[in-house]
Amino acid sequence: MIDLSFLSKSEVAHLDEQIGFTDIEKEIIEHLVKNDLTDDGIMLDLHLSRNKYYKIKLNAVYKMIRYAANN
C-alpha cells in the first residue's frame, strides 16, 4: 500500500488540476491520502477486481511521477 497521507487536500486538488485524474483515480487517491483503508479495503469499497484496482492505482501513481519529473 502506498501512503500518501503527507499530501494536503490543496496539493491533491492541484495535482488533479494539472494531471486530470479520472473519477476512480481520484477516489483511490483520496483513500490513500486518508490512509483509512488497505488496498483490499479500497477494492471492496469501490467494487473493483484486484487486477483492475492495481492497474488504475499504478496509472495514477505514474501520472504523479511524470508530473513531478517534468516540473
Side-chain angles (χ1 to χ4, degrees):
M1 177 154 173
I2 297 173
D3 180 6
L4 297 179
S5 62
F6 64 91
L7 292 173
S8 68
K9 287 183 182 182
S10 63
E11 290 170 329
V12 173
H14 175 75
L15 285 171
D16 183 33
E17 193 176 286
Q18 297 299 313
I19 296 171
F21 295 116
T22 65
D23 290 339
I24 196 74
E25 287 172 340
K26 281 187 232 179
E27 289 187 62
I28 291 171
I29 291 168
E30 284 177 17
H31 281 294
L32 295 174
V33 169
K34 289 180 195 173
N35 201 19
D36 61 347
L37 296 171
T38 63
D39 284 333
D40 289 329
I42 298 170
M43 283 180 241
L44 289 171
D45 185 53
L46 300 177
H47 307 288
L48 296 172
S49 70
R50 181 171 298 279
N51 288 340
K52 182 116 176 143
Y53 169 76
Y54 282 111
K55 182 178 178 182
I56 294 167
K57 178 183 170 184
L58 190 59
N59 189 47
V61 170
Y62 283 161
K63 284 180 180 181
M64 288 188 275
I65 292 169
R66 278 194 306 271
Y67 175 74
N70 291 322
N71 290 305

Coordinates of all heavy atoms in Angstrom, one line a residue:
M1 N 0.8 -1.2 0.0 CA 0.0 0.0 0.0 C 0.9 1.2 0.0 O 1.9 1.3 0.7 CB -0.9 0.0 1.2 CG -1.7 1.2 1.3 SD -3.2 0.9 2.3 CE -3.8 2.5 2.4
I2 N 0.5 2.2 -0.8 CA 1.2 3.5 -0.9 C 0.6 4.5 0.1 O -0.6 4.7 0.1 CB 1.2 4.0 -2.3 CG1 1.9 3.1 -3.2 CG2 1.8 5.4 -2.3 CD1 1.7 3.5 -4.7
D3 N 1.4 5.1 1.0 CA 0.9 6.0 1.9 C 1.1 7.4 1.4 O 2.2 7.9 1.3 CB 1.6 5.9 3.3 CG 1.2 6.8 4.3 OD1 0.2 7.6 4.1 OD2 1.8 6.9 5.4
L4 N 0.0 8.1 1.0 CA 0.1 9.5 0.5 C -0.5 10.5 1.5 O -0.8 11.6 1.2 CB -0.8 9.6 -0.8 CG -0.3 8.8 -2.0 CD1 -1.2 9.0 -3.2 CD2 1.2 9.1 -2.3
S5 N -0.5 10.1 2.8 CA -1.0 10.9 3.8 C -0.2 12.2 4.0 O -0.7 13.1 4.7 CB -1.2 10.2 5.2 OG 0.1 9.8 5.6
F6 N 0.9 12.3 3.5 CA 1.7 13.5 3.6 C 1.2 14.6 2.7 O 1.6 15.8 2.8 CB 3.2 13.3 3.2 CG 3.4 12.8 1.8 CD1 3.7 13.7 0.8 CD2 3.4 11.5 1.5 CE1 3.9 13.3 -0.5 CE2 3.6 11.0 0.2 CZ 3.8 11.9 -0.8
L7 N 0.3 14.3 1.7 CA -0.3 15.3 0.8 C -1.5 16.0 1.5 O -2.3 15.3 2.1 CB -0.7 14.6 -0.5 CG 0.4 14.1 -1.4 CD1 -0.3 13.3 -2.6 CD2 1.2 15.2 -2.0
S8 N -1.5 17.3 1.3 CA -2.7 18.0 1.8 C -3.8 18.0 0.8 O -3.6 17.6 -0.4 CB -2.3 19.5 2.1 OG -2.0 20.1 0.9
K9 N -5.0 18.4 1.2 CA -6.1 18.4 0.2 C -5.8 19.4 -0.9 O -6.2 19.1 -2.1 CB -7.4 18.8 0.9 CG -8.0 17.8 1.8 CD -9.3 18.2 2.4 CE -9.8 17.1 3.4 NZ -11.1 17.5 3.9
S10 N -5.2 20.5 -0.6 CA -4.9 21.5 -1.6 C -3.9 21.0 -2.6 O -3.9 21.2 -3.8 CB -4.5 22.8 -1.0 OG -3.3 22.7 -0.3
E11 N -2.9 20.2 -2.1 CA -1.9 19.6 -3.0 C -2.6 18.5 -3.9 O -2.2 18.5 -5.1 CB -0.8 18.9 -2.2 CG 0.1 20.0 -1.5 CD 1.0 19.4 -0.5 OE1 0.7 18.3 0.1 OE2 2.1 19.9 -0.3
V12 N -3.5 17.8 -3.4 CA -4.2 16.8 -4.2 C -5.0 17.5 -5.3 O -5.1 17.1 -6.4 CB -5.1 15.9 -3.3 CG1 -5.9 15.0 -4.2 CG2 -4.2 15.0 -2.4
A13 N -5.7 18.6 -4.9 CA -6.5 19.4 -5.8 C -5.6 19.9 -6.9 O -6.0 20.0 -8.1 CB -7.3 20.5 -5.1
H14 N -4.4 20.4 -6.5 CA -3.5 21.0 -7.5 C -3.1 19.9 -8.5 O -3.0 20.1 -9.7 CB -2.3 21.6 -6.8 CG -1.3 22.1 -7.8 ND1 -1.4 23.2 -8.5 CD2 -0.1 21.5 -8.1 CE1 -0.3 23.4 -9.3 NE2 0.5 22.4 -9.0
L15 N -2.7 18.7 -8.0 CA -2.3 17.6 -8.8 C -3.5 17.3 -9.8 O -3.2 17.0 -11.0 CB -1.9 16.4 -8.0 CG -0.6 16.5 -7.3 CD1 -0.4 15.3 -6.4 CD2 0.6 16.5 -8.3
D16 N -4.7 17.2 -9.3 CA -5.8 16.8 -10.1 C -6.0 17.9 -11.2 O -6.3 17.6 -12.4 CB -7.1 16.7 -9.3 CG -8.3 16.3 -10.1 OD1 -8.1 15.6 -11.1 OD2 -9.4 16.7 -9.8
E17 N -5.8 19.1 -10.8 CA -6.0 20.2 -11.8 C -4.9 20.1 -12.9 O -5.2 20.3 -14.1 CB -5.8 21.6 -11.1 CG -6.2 22.8 -11.8 CD -6.1 24.0 -10.9 OE1 -6.9 24.2 -10.0 OE2 -5.1 24.8 -11.1
Q18 N -3.7 19.8 -12.5 CA -2.6 19.7 -13.5 C -2.6 18.4 -14.3 O -2.3 18.4 -15.5 CB -1.3 19.9 -12.8 CG -1.1 21.2 -12.1 CD -1.1 22.3 -13.1 OE1 -0.5 22.3 -14.1 NE2 -1.9 23.4 -12.8
I19 N -3.0 17.3 -13.6 CA -2.9 16.0 -14.3 C -4.2 15.6 -14.9 O -4.2 15.0 -16.0 CB -2.4 15.0 -13.2 CG1 -1.0 15.3 -12.7 CG2 -2.5 13.5 -13.8 CD1 -0.5 14.5 -11.6
G20 N -5.3 15.8 -14.2 CA -6.6 15.4 -14.7 C -6.9 13.9 -14.4 O -7.0 13.1 -15.3
F21 N -6.9 13.6 -13.1 CA -7.2 12.2 -12.7 C -8.7 11.9 -13.2 O -9.5 12.7 -13.2 CB -7.1 12.0 -11.2 CG -5.8 12.2 -10.7 CD1 -5.5 13.2 -9.8 CD2 -4.8 11.3 -11.0 CE1 -4.2 13.4 -9.2 CE2 -3.5 11.5 -10.5 CZ -3.2 12.5 -9.6
T22 N -8.9 10.6 -13.4 CA -10.2 10.1 -13.7 C -11.0 10.1 -12.3 O -10.3 10.1 -11.3 CB -10.2 8.7 -14.3 OG1 -9.7 7.8 -13.3 CG2 -9.5 8.6 -15.6
D23 N -12.3 9.9 -12.4 CA -13.0 9.9 -11.1 C -12.6 8.7 -10.2 O -12.5 8.9 -9.0 CB -14.5 9.7 -11.4 CG -15.1 11.0 -12.0 OD1 -14.5 12.1 -11.8 OD2 -16.2 10.9 -12.6
I24 N -12.4 7.6 -10.8 CA -12.0 6.4 -10.0 C -10.6 6.6 -9.4 O -10.3 6.2 -8.3 CB -12.1 5.1 -10.7 CG1 -12.1 3.9 -9.8 CG2 -11.1 4.9 -11.8 CD1 -13.4 3.7 -9.0
E25 N -9.7 7.2 -10.2 CA -8.3 7.5 -9.7 C -8.4 8.5 -8.5 O -7.7 8.3 -7.5 CB -7.5 8.1 -10.8 CG -7.0 7.1 -11.9 CD -6.3 7.8 -13.0 OE1 -6.5 9.0 -13.2 OE2 -5.6 7.1 -13.8
K26 N -9.3 9.5 -8.6 CA -9.5 10.4 -7.5 C -9.9 9.7 -6.2 O -9.5 10.0 -5.2 CB -10.5 11.5 -7.9 CG -10.0 12.6 -8.8 CD -11.0 13.6 -8.9 CE -11.3 13.9 -10.4 NZ -12.3 14.9 -10.6
E27 N -10.9 8.8 -6.4 CA -11.4 8.1 -5.2 C -10.3 7.2 -4.6 O -10.2 7.2 -3.3 CB -12.6 7.2 -5.6 CG -13.8 7.9 -5.9 CD -15.0 7.0 -6.2 OE1 -15.4 6.3 -5.2 OE2 -15.5 7.0 -7.3
I28 N -9.5 6.6 -5.4 CA -8.4 5.8 -4.9 C -7.4 6.7 -4.1 O -6.9 6.4 -3.0 CB -7.7 4.9 -6.0 CG1 -8.6 3.8 -6.4 CG2 -6.4 4.4 -5.5 CD1 -8.2 3.1 -7.7
I29 N -7.0 7.8 -4.8 CA -6.1 8.7 -4.2 C -6.6 9.3 -2.9 O -5.8 9.4 -1.9 CB -5.7 9.8 -5.2 CG1 -4.9 9.3 -6.3 CG2 -4.9 11.0 -4.5 CD1 -4.7 10.2 -7.5
E30 N -7.9 9.6 -2.8 CA -8.5 10.1 -1.6 C -8.3 9.1 -0.4 O -7.9 9.5 0.7 CB -10.0 10.4 -1.8 CG -10.2 11.7 -2.5 CD -11.7 11.9 -2.8 OE1 -12.6 11.3 -2.1 OE2 -12.0 12.7 -3.6
H31 N -8.5 7.8 -0.7 CA -8.3 6.8 0.3 C -6.8 6.7 0.7 O -6.5 6.5 1.9 CB -8.8 5.4 -0.2 CG -10.3 5.3 -0.1 ND1 -10.9 5.2 1.1 CD2 -11.2 5.1 -1.0 CE1 -12.2 5.1 0.9 NE2 -12.4 5.0 -0.4
L32 N -5.9 6.8 -0.3 CA -4.5 6.7 0.0 C -4.0 7.9 0.8 O -3.1 7.8 1.7 CB -3.7 6.5 -1.3 CG -3.9 5.3 -2.1 CD1 -3.2 5.3 -3.4 CD2 -3.6 4.0 -1.3
V33 N -4.6 9.0 0.6 CA -4.3 10.2 1.4 C -4.8 10.1 2.8 O -4.1 10.4 3.7 CB -4.8 11.5 0.7 CG1 -4.7 12.7 1.6 CG2 -4.0 11.8 -0.6
K34 N -6.0 9.7 2.9 CA -6.6 9.5 4.2 C -6.0 8.3 5.0 O -6.0 8.3 6.2 CB -8.1 9.1 4.1 CG -9.0 10.3 3.7 CD -10.4 9.8 3.6 CE -11.3 10.7 2.8 NZ -12.7 10.1 2.6
N35 N -5.4 7.4 4.3 CA -4.8 6.2 4.8 C -5.8 5.5 5.7 O -5.4 5.0 6.8 CB -3.5 6.6 5.6 CG -2.6 5.4 5.7 OD1 -2.7 4.4 5.0 ND2 -1.7 5.5 6.7
D36 N -7.0 5.4 5.3 CA -8.1 4.8 6.1 C -8.4 3.4 5.8 O -9.0 2.7 6.6 CB -9.4 5.7 5.9 CG -9.9 5.7 4.5 OD1 -9.2 5.3 3.6 OD2 -11.1 6.1 4.3
L37 N -8.0 2.9 4.6 CA -8.3 1.5 4.2 C -7.0 0.9 3.6 O -6.2 1.6 3.1 CB -9.4 1.4 3.2 CG -10.8 1.9 3.6 CD1 -11.7 2.0 2.4 CD2 -11.4 1.0 4.7
T38 N -6.9 -0.4 3.7 CA -5.9 -1.1 3.0 C -6.3 -1.2 1.5 O -7.4 -0.9 1.1 CB -5.7 -2.6 3.5 OG1 -7.0 -3.3 3.3 CG2 -5.4 -2.6 5.0
D39 N -5.3 -1.7 0.7 CA -5.7 -1.9 -0.7 C -6.9 -2.8 -0.9 O -7.8 -2.5 -1.7 CB -4.5 -2.5 -1.5 CG -3.4 -1.5 -1.7 OD1 -3.7 -0.3 -1.8 OD2 -2.2 -1.9 -1.9
D40 N -7.0 -3.9 -0.1 CA -8.1 -4.8 -0.2 C -9.4 -4.0 0.2 O -10.4 -4.2 -0.4 CB -7.9 -6.0 0.7 CG -6.9 -7.0 0.2 OD1 -6.7 -7.0 -1.0 OD2 -6.2 -7.6 1.0
G41 N -9.3 -3.2 1.2 CA -10.5 -2.4 1.6 C -11.0 -1.4 0.6 O -12.2 -1.3 0.3
I42 N -10.0 -0.8 -0.1 CA -10.3 0.1 -1.2 C -11.0 -0.6 -2.3 O -12.0 -0.2 -2.9 CB -9.1 0.9 -1.6 CG1 -8.5 1.7 -0.5 CG2 -9.5 1.8 -2.8 CD1 -7.2 2.4 -0.8
M43 N -10.4 -1.8 -2.7 CA -11.0 -2.6 -3.7 C -12.5 -3.0 -3.4 O -13.3 -2.8 -4.3 CB -10.2 -3.9 -3.9 CG -8.9 -3.9 -4.6 SD -8.2 -5.5 -4.6 CE -6.7 -5.2 -3.8
L44 N -12.7 -3.4 -2.2 CA -14.1 -3.7 -1.8 C -15.0 -2.5 -1.8 O -16.1 -2.6 -2.3 CB -14.1 -4.4 -0.4 CG -13.5 -5.8 -0.3 CD1 -13.4 -6.2 1.1 CD2 -14.4 -6.8 -1.1
D45 N -14.5 -1.4 -1.3 CA -15.3 -0.2 -1.2 C -15.7 0.3 -2.6 O -16.8 0.8 -2.8 CB -14.5 0.9 -0.5 CG -15.3 2.2 -0.3 OD1 -16.4 2.1 0.2 OD2 -14.8 3.3 -0.7
L46 N -14.8 0.2 -3.6 CA -15.0 0.7 -4.9 C -15.5 -0.4 -5.9 O -15.7 -0.1 -7.1 CB -13.7 1.3 -5.5 CG -13.2 2.5 -4.7 CD1 -11.9 3.0 -5.3 CD2 -14.2 3.6 -4.6
H47 N -15.7 -1.6 -5.4 CA -16.2 -2.8 -6.2 C -15.3 -3.0 -7.4 O -15.8 -3.1 -8.5 CB -17.6 -2.5 -6.6 CG -18.6 -2.2 -5.5 ND1 -18.9 -3.1 -4.5 CD2 -19.1 -1.0 -5.1 CE1 -19.7 -2.6 -3.6 NE2 -19.8 -1.3 -3.9
L48 N -14.0 -3.1 -7.2 CA -13.1 -3.3 -8.2 C -12.4 -4.7 -8.0 O -12.1 -5.1 -6.9 CB -12.0 -2.3 -8.2 CG -12.4 -0.8 -8.5 CD1 -11.3 0.1 -8.3 CD2 -12.9 -0.7 -10.0
S49 N -12.1 -5.3 -9.1 CA -11.3 -6.6 -9.1 C -9.9 -6.2 -8.7 O -9.5 -5.0 -8.9 CB -11.3 -7.3 -10.4 OG -10.6 -6.6 -11.4
R50 N -9.1 -7.1 -8.2 CA -7.7 -6.9 -7.9 C -6.9 -6.3 -9.0 O -6.2 -5.3 -8.9 CB -7.1 -8.2 -7.3 CG -5.7 -8.0 -6.9 CD -5.2 -9.3 -6.2 NE -5.9 -9.6 -5.0 CZ -5.7 -9.0 -3.8 NH1 -4.8 -8.1 -3.7 NH2 -6.4 -9.3 -2.7
N51 N -7.0 -7.0 -10.2 CA -6.3 -6.5 -11.4 C -6.7 -5.1 -11.8 O -5.8 -4.3 -12.1 CB -6.5 -7.5 -12.6 CG -5.8 -8.8 -12.3 OD1 -4.9 -8.9 -11.5 ND2 -6.2 -9.8 -13.1
K52 N -8.0 -4.8 -11.8 CA -8.4 -3.5 -12.2 C -7.9 -2.4 -11.3 O -7.5 -1.4 -11.6 CB -9.9 -3.5 -12.3 CG -10.5 -2.2 -12.8 CD -11.2 -2.4 -14.1 CE -11.9 -1.1 -14.5 NZ -11.8 -0.9 -15.9
Y53 N -8.0 -2.7 -10.0 CA -7.6 -1.8 -8.9 C -6.2 -1.4 -9.1 O -5.8 -0.3 -9.1 CB -7.9 -2.4 -7.5 CG -7.2 -1.6 -6.4 CD1 -7.8 -0.3 -6.0 CD2 -6.1 -2.0 -5.8 CE1 -7.2 0.4 -5.1 CE2 -5.4 -1.2 -4.8 CZ -6.0 0.0 -4.5 OH -5.4 0.7 -3.5
Y54 N -5.3 -2.4 -9.2 CA -3.9 -2.2 -9.3 C -3.5 -1.5 -10.6 O -2.6 -0.7 -10.6 CB -3.0 -3.4 -9.0 CG -3.0 -3.8 -7.6 CD1 -3.6 -4.9 -7.1 CD2 -2.3 -3.0 -6.7 CE1 -3.6 -5.2 -5.7 CE2 -2.2 -3.3 -5.3 CZ -2.9 -4.4 -4.9 OH -2.8 -4.7 -3.5
K55 N -4.2 -1.8 -11.6 CA -3.9 -1.1 -12.9 C -4.3 0.4 -12.8 O -3.5 1.2 -13.2 CB -4.8 -1.7 -14.0 CG -4.6 -1.1 -15.4 CD -5.4 -1.9 -16.4 CE -5.2 -1.2 -17.8 NZ -6.0 -1.8 -18.8
I56 N -5.4 0.7 -12.2 CA -5.8 2.1 -12.0 C -4.9 2.8 -11.1 O -4.5 4.0 -11.3 CB -7.3 2.2 -11.5 CG1 -8.2 1.7 -12.6 CG2 -7.7 3.6 -11.2 CD1 -9.7 1.4 -12.2
K57 N -4.6 2.2 -9.9 CA -3.7 2.8 -8.9 C -2.3 3.1 -9.5 O -1.8 4.2 -9.3 CB -3.6 1.8 -7.7 CG -2.7 2.3 -6.6 CD -2.6 1.3 -5.5 CE -1.5 1.6 -4.5 NZ -1.4 0.6 -3.5
L58 N -1.8 2.1 -10.2 CA -0.5 2.3 -10.8 C -0.5 3.4 -11.8 O 0.5 4.2 -11.9 CB 0.0 1.0 -11.5 CG 1.4 0.9 -11.9 CD1 2.4 1.1 -10.7 CD2 1.7 -0.4 -12.6
N59 N -1.5 3.5 -12.6 CA -1.6 4.6 -13.6 C -1.7 5.9 -12.9 O -1.0 6.9 -13.4 CB -2.9 4.4 -14.5 CG -2.9 5.3 -15.6 OD1 -1.9 5.4 -16.3 ND2 -4.1 5.9 -15.8
A60 N -2.4 6.1 -11.8 CA -2.5 7.3 -11.1 C -1.1 7.7 -10.5 O -0.7 8.9 -10.6 CB -3.5 7.2 -10.0
V61 N -0.4 6.7 -10.0 CA 0.9 7.0 -9.4 C 1.9 7.4 -10.5 O 2.7 8.3 -10.3 CB 1.4 5.7 -8.6 CG1 2.9 5.9 -8.2 CG2 0.6 5.5 -7.4
Y62 N 1.8 6.7 -11.6 CA 2.7 7.1 -12.8 C 2.4 8.5 -13.2 O 3.3 9.2 -13.6 CB 2.6 6.1 -13.9 CG 3.3 4.8 -13.7 CD1 2.9 3.6 -14.4 CD2 4.3 4.6 -12.8 CE1 3.6 2.4 -14.3 CE2 5.0 3.4 -12.6 CZ 4.6 2.3 -13.4 OH 5.2 1.1 -13.2
K63 N 1.2 8.9 -13.3 CA 0.8 10.2 -13.7 C 1.5 11.2 -12.7 O 2.0 12.3 -13.2 CB -0.7 10.5 -13.6 CG -1.4 9.8 -14.8 CD -2.9 10.1 -14.7 CE -3.7 9.5 -15.8 NZ -5.2 9.8 -15.6
M64 N 1.4 11.0 -11.4 CA 2.1 11.9 -10.4 C 3.6 11.9 -10.6 O 4.2 13.0 -10.5 CB 1.7 11.4 -9.0 CG 0.3 11.7 -8.7 SD -0.1 11.4 -6.9 CE -0.4 9.7 -6.9
I65 N 4.2 10.8 -10.9 CA 5.6 10.7 -11.1 C 6.0 11.5 -12.3 O 7.0 12.3 -12.3 CB 6.1 9.3 -11.2 CG1 6.0 8.6 -9.8 CG2 7.6 9.2 -11.6 CD1 6.2 7.1 -9.8
R66 N 5.3 11.3 -13.4 CA 5.6 12.0 -14.7 C 5.4 13.5 -14.5 O 6.3 14.3 -14.9 CB 4.6 11.6 -15.8 CG 5.1 10.3 -16.5 CD 4.4 10.1 -17.8 NE 2.9 10.1 -17.7 CZ 2.2 9.0 -17.4 NH1 2.7 7.9 -17.2 NH2 0.9 9.1 -17.3
Y67 N 4.4 14.0 -13.7 CA 4.2 15.4 -13.4 C 5.4 15.9 -12.6 O 5.9 17.0 -12.9 CB 2.9 15.6 -12.7 CG 2.7 17.0 -12.3 CD1 2.3 18.0 -13.2 CD2 2.9 17.4 -11.0 CE1 2.2 19.3 -12.8 CE2 2.7 18.7 -10.6 CZ 2.4 19.7 -11.5 OH 2.2 21.0 -11.1
A68 N 5.8 15.2 -11.6 CA 6.9 15.6 -10.7 C 8.2 15.7 -11.6 O 9.0 16.6 -11.4 CB 7.1 14.7 -9.6
A69 N 8.4 14.8 -12.4 CA 9.6 14.7 -13.2 C 9.7 15.9 -14.2 O 10.8 16.4 -14.6 CB 9.7 13.4 -14.0
N70 N 8.6 16.4 -14.7 CA 8.5 17.5 -15.6 C 8.5 18.8 -15.0 O 8.5 19.8 -15.7 CB 7.3 17.3 -16.6 CG 7.5 16.1 -17.5 OD1 8.6 15.9 -18.0 ND2 6.4 15.4 -17.7
N71 N 8.4 18.9 -13.7 CA 8.3 20.2 -13.0 C 9.5 20.4 -12.0 O 10.2 19.7 -11.6 CB 7.0 20.4 -12.3 CG 5.9 20.5 -13.3 OD1 5.9 21.4 -14.1 ND2 4.9 19.7 -13.2

